[in-house]
Amino acid sequence: MTNTTIFEALRQSHDKQRMLSEQLIQTSGDTEERHELFNELKNELFAHSVAEDRYLYIPLMMTDSGLNITRHALAEHHEMDELLEQLSETEFSHPSWLVIAKKLSEKVHHHLKEEEHGFFQQAGKILAEQQKTQLAEQYLKEYNKYLSKEKDSLTS
């Protein structure tokens, strides 16, 4: 991982999140496909947010100029966690499951668009070039570690 920046590394996961959330809302009923896509999306979001919080948001929060821009993003991570928890607690065949899944998909798309079209530019001005590649290496190591773990709940 020589020249990959934290932003490029995050975008790879963002693309997966978009694809999985789109596929999830195309499913119906209590099917194996819905369960598999939901678990894959839940795991992707968890691994991404843990690693992103540690290796992008926390370093940015250590600077005065990064403090405010990270608060909104962290709040959105929390909102997505809550929607995932609602989905976990709702019968997969219940009509409200798809309603919640669509809210989650919209929140994911909104959050990723904000990050990629505003937050990354601001963060790019705060972080040094060397720091961007170091954070990418740390992020990818953490992301892959959490991606390979089974997660029953995002609240733990």
Side-chain angles (χ1 to χ4, degrees):
M1 302 267 73
T2 49
N3 291 327
T4 300
T5 69
I6 184 69
F7 309 115
E8 293 161 341
L10 291 168
R11 278 190 181 98
Q12 291 172 6
S13 175
H14 286 184
D15 291 343
K16 278 191 205 171
Q17 293 172 42
R18 284 186 187 95
M19 179 192 69
L20 291 169
S21 64
E22 282 297 315
Q23 290 176 341
L24 183 64
I25 62 173
Q26 301 304 315
T27 64
S28 61
D30 191 355
T31 61
E32 188 176 331
E33 179 190 23
R34 181 175 272 185
H35 281 272
E36 286 176 8
L37 283 168
F38 175 65
N39 286 329
E40 195 175 345
L41 176 62
K42 184 168 75 165
N43 199 36
E44 179 67 33
L45 290 171
F46 181 81
H48 176 80
S49 68
V50 166
E52 183 179 54
D53 289 356
R54 289 184 182 155
Y55 297 108
L56 180 62
Y57 295 149
I58 290 174
L60 286 170
M61 289 178 85
M62 298 300 154
T63 68
D64 289 339
S65 52
L67 190 57
N68 280 336
I69 63 172
T70 57
R71 286 185 177 155
H72 178 72
L74 289 169
E76 287 186 342
H77 278 194
H78 180 70
E79 291 170 18
M80 287 183 272
D81 288 350
E82 288 180 342
L83 289 167
L84 284 165
E85 193 173 325
Q86 286 178 30
L87 286 171
S88 295
E89 295 169 354
T90 304
E91 292 292 326
F92 277 59
S93 58
H94 196 280
S96 66
W97 196 94
L98 187 57
V99 173
I100 299 166
K102 285 180 179 178
K103 281 184 195 173
L104 175 63
S105 180
E106 289 167 9
K107 179 57 72 180
V108 166
H109 282 77
H110 164 81
H111 177 69
L112 301 180
K113 184 178 178 182
E114 270 190 350
E115 275 192 344
E116 292 173 357
H117 298 287
F119 183 83
F120 283 3
Q121 288 74 16
Q122 292 173 296
K125 293 174 187 171
I126 297 168
L127 300 171
E129 290 307 310
Q130 182 183 1
Q131 200 177 7
K132 292 174 192 174
T133 55
Q134 283 178 327
L135 291 171
E137 289 174 25
Q138 293 170 309
Y139 161 82
L140 287 168
K141 186 177 178 184
E142 187 89 347
Y143 166 76
N144 288 318
K145 178 177 97 174
Y146 278 94
L147 197 59
S148 65
K149 289 185 178 183
E150 286 299 318
K151 295 289 170 224
D152 289 334
S153 170
L154 297 173
T155 57
S156 58

